[in-house]
Amino acid sequence: MSKRTSNLPIVLVVSCAHAMVHLIEQSFASVEQVVSAEFALTTQQSGALGSALRIPFGFGAVLTGILADRMGASRVLSLYLGGIALVCASFVATNSSSILWAQMFLLGIFASMYHPAGLSLLSSVTTPNDRAKALGLHGVFGSLGLAAAPFLALGILWFPGSNWRTFFLVLAAVTGVLVFLFRAGMARFGDSNAPSNSAAMRTVDGTAGSVAATLETAPAKLIVWPFSVLMLSSAFSGIVYGGFLHFLTRYLSESDAFDSWSIGRDELARGQTAMVLFCGVGGQWLSGHLATPRRLPMMLSMVYLTNVPLLWWMSIASGWVSLVPCCLLAFVHFMNQPVYNSLLPDYVPVKTRSTWFGVSQMMTFGVGSVGPYLVGSFTDYRQGYLALAGMSLLAGLLPILIWVERRNRNF
């Protein structure tokens, strides 16, 4: 971001909330084997529980996007953090898988509030030229949140007398602290009581700043055709994302390379999972710095298409080699977020941007919620990665249509 137009403090405050939503998203997957053992769940039942979180996480984003456009992004973000803290605290009383289903669903509802409000806020305080870098940093925080989930679970489960419920109690405490930090940050760097479209358009010193350039390039109304193409591509990519993440720790723990280690398989796999997800940080940072308005559609296509051979490799890999395609896939797949989220504002109006980002998140996380169930439904869930490769192929072909359209009009 340029010095003149930078709203770095706002980007950092919102990015912390972004890290938390992805930590929550990956929370159940990080203790999935422990929970499955306690409640005697099959992989299909476990996958369905993962979908129970992801379905409201995705589909709820439409309603929360409308809510953010009406009552203000920062209020919605505060509600998201407070709700997450309360639900995570409730896990101390979980004594059946039925209660767990309800808790996963509630986590998904509150988590759905983040992306429509947070992405709208960031896209409104940046110019098209600055946006990818800001969203790249925002994405780095998100990947750090994903990587923190298995790492935190590993540390807590190692602690004597702790269990998976302790893990969720720690998440409740962390989220509770973040509520106060977020409110303090927004009070310092923006008008937290204004509607999202005006609050988001204020720079740190309260002037119009970079928003003039944003308004000049934003369309007056939704441009339906390219938006629809992006939504379809996002749905296929979301299925890949959900299916890959849910069984990642199980995939690594079941590799025969762990037999010779003195440390337990599951514990080592959680550490490996954190390392894999940390690779996504590099992908987010790189794509944020490489992306320019002209490159966006083809970059998005290449990211999705590169997923295809890596998912195929995961389906056949064994031993320590299994770690290699996982790390590469995390690095490549997460490159899509700064690119995709920079491309989307070219086709949606500023006044309803939270709403349309909500629709986008519905496709990514709502339709994508079938990913864990899809992979878990295979007799050997590893073969589900072949189905994910097919989804990624479709996701990669669609942005080429946008590239052709933009080239024809010399965008």
Side-chain angles (χ1 to χ4, degrees), residues 286-298:
L286 180 62
S287 66
H289 282 73
L290 291 179
T292 64
R294 287 185 175 274
R295 293 176 181 171
L296 293 175
M298 193 51 69

Side-chain angles (χ1 to χ4, degrees), residues 13-28 53-54 56-58 61 77 80-81 84 88 106-116 118-119 138-139 141-149 171 174-175 178 241 245 337 361 365:
V13 168
V14 177
S15 293
C16 288
H18 186 217
M20 197 66 223
V21 79
H22 286 294
L23 199 163
I24 292 298
E25 178 199 5
Q26 193 63 12
S27 59
F28 176 69
L53 186 156
R54 292 180 182 277
F57 182 35
L77 292 174
Y80 134 69
L81 289 169
I84 288 294
C88 284
L106 284 173
L107 273 183
I109 288 175
F110 285 109
S112 73
M113 297 178 178
Y114 174 75
H115 284 98
L119 289 171
H138 174 260
F141 274 71
S143 288
L144 287 173
L146 279 173
L171 295 185
V174 172
T175 311
L178 190 55
Y241 173 81
L245 287 184
Q337 294 192 23
Q361 298 310 304
F365 299 113

Side-chain angles (χ1 to χ4, degrees), residues 195-393:
S196 61
N197 293 313
S198 56
M201 293 179 197
R202 298 173 62 87
T203 56
V204 175
D205 62 3
T207 61
S210 63
V211 180
T214 301
L215 292 174
E216 288 174 3
T217 58
K221 61 181 181 179
L222 181 71
I223 305 177
V224 176
W225 182 82
F227 178 81
S228 300
V229 172
L230 282 175
M231 292 306 97
L232 191 56
S233 180
S234 179
F236 290 129
S237 173
I239 293 172
V240 173
Y241 173 81
F244 168 63
L245 287 184
H246 185 78
F247 289 110
L248 179 57
T249 301
R250 180 184 293 269
Y251 174 84
L252 292 170
S253 72
E254 292 181 356
S255 169
D256 56 17
F258 296 107
D259 287 341
S260 60
W261 292 71
S262 58
I263 187 174
R265 281 190 179 197
D266 293 349
E267 289 80 6
L268 185 57
R270 289 189 187 95
Q272 298 273 8
T273 300
M275 184 178 72
V276 167
L277 295 177
F278 188 76
C279 291
V281 172
Q284 301 258 23
W285 180 88
L286 180 62
S287 66
H289 282 73
L290 291 179
T292 64
R294 287 185 175 274
R295 293 176 181 171
L296 293 175
M298 193 51 69
M299 279 188 67
L300 188 62
S301 177
M302 293 305 298
V303 167
Y304 290 150
L305 291 176
T306 306
N307 287 188
V308 176
L310 297 175
L311 286 161
W312 170 79
W313 191 0
M314 282 186 67
S315 73
I316 62 171
S318 61
W320 67 268
V321 177
S322 302
L323 189 62
V324 179
C326 291
C327 289
L328 291 174
L329 183 63
F331 182 89
V332 172
H333 182 81
F334 287 106
M335 290 179 74
N336 86 82
Q337 294 192 23
V339 178
Y340 174 87
N341 289 322
S342 296
L343 185 58
L344 187 63
D346 289 342
Y347 304 111
V348 300
V350 171
K351 290 185 178 180
T352 54
R353 188 168 283 171
S354 292
T355 300
W356 296 116
F357 266 116
V359 173
S360 172
Q361 298 310 304
M362 176 191 72
M363 301 303 290
T364 301
F365 299 113
V367 177
S369 67
V370 306
Y373 186 80
L374 173 65
V375 174
S377 65
F378 283 79
T379 304
D380 178 1
Y381 70 90
R382 290 170 178 255
Q383 297 306 307
Y385 297 134
L386 292 176
L388 298 185
M391 298 290 177
S392 203
L393 176 62

Side-chain angles (χ1 to χ4, degrees), residues 10 68-73 120-121 124-125 190-203 206-208 211 350-351:
I10 295 177
D69 278 327
R70 291 181 177 273
M71 66 179 286
S120 176
L121 195 70
S124 295
V125 298
D191 181 3
S192 62
N193 294 319
S196 61
N197 293 313
S198 56
M201 293 179 197
R202 298 173 62 87
T203 56
T207 61
V211 180
V350 171
K351 290 185 178 180

Side-chain angles (χ1 to χ4, degrees), residues 60-139:
V62 178
L63 295 177
T64 56
I66 296 172
L67 188 66
D69 278 327
R70 291 181 177 273
M71 66 179 286
S74 70
R75 285 177 174 171
V76 171
L77 292 174
S78 297
L79 181 60
Y80 134 69
L81 289 169
I84 288 294
L86 290 174
V87 176
C88 284
S90 75
F91 279 91
V92 70
T94 305
N95 57 15
S96 72
S97 59
S98 298
I99 295 175
L100 190 60
W101 276 84
Q103 290 166 317
M104 289 293 108
F105 192 81
L106 284 173
L107 273 183
I109 288 175
F110 285 109
S112 73
M113 297 178 178
Y114 174 75
H115 284 98
L119 289 171
S120 176
L121 195 70
L122 292 185
S123 67
S124 295
V125 298
T126 53
T127 69
N129 289 331
D130 293 336
R131 190 172 294 142
K133 290 184 177 64
L135 289 169
L137 180 61
H138 174 260

Side-chain angles (χ1 to χ4, degrees), residues 39-60:
F39 295 116
L41 304 176
T42 65
T43 55
Q44 187 173 26
Q45 290 171 325
S46 171
L49 264 175
S51 294
L53 186 156
R54 292 180 182 277
I55 286 171
F57 182 35
F59 288 104

